[in-house]
Amino acid sequence: QGIDKDPDITLLASSPVTKYQIFKYQHHAYGIQFHIEIKDTTVGEWGCVPEYKSALESQLGQGALKKFDSDAKDNIQSMNKYSKILYENFKKIVN
């Protein structure tokens, strides 16, 4: 049985690329399929791992790491704002 057919799993957020970005299992667990803890140095630090850079470029093409780093830096204020909203809403759910 796939995740789409499991009545115990509720989709809470998705993206055009990844359907299950945030989900919950019954009332016991939540899953987040992305990093909200990004800083302006995060992508560059990830890129120091050859396997990460290789995997990213095999999926998105040559120069993907540099573009990802640039996009992350350009959008860091928005990402931080949305991370705070996500955190505040999560606190309301679990309290």
Side-chain angles (χ1 to χ4, degrees), residues 26-53:
Q26 297 177 347
H27 298 289
H28 309 291
Y30 289 83
I32 297 177
Q33 297 285 87
F34 58 92
H35 291 273
I36 63 170
E37 75 284 1
I38 197 162
K39 303 181 297 184
D40 64 346
T41 58
T42 301
V43 175
E45 291 166 357
W46 290 343
C48 290
V49 177
E51 294 83 3
Y52 179 82
K53 181 179 179 183

Side-chain angles (χ1 to χ4, degrees), residues 2-22:
I3 195 168
D4 288 328
K5 296 184 189 325
D6 190 327
D8 292 326
I9 297 174
T10 303
L11 176 64
L12 301 174
S14 62
S15 77
V17 176
T18 306
K19 182 175 181 179
Y20 283 87
Q21 289 284 327
I22 304 175

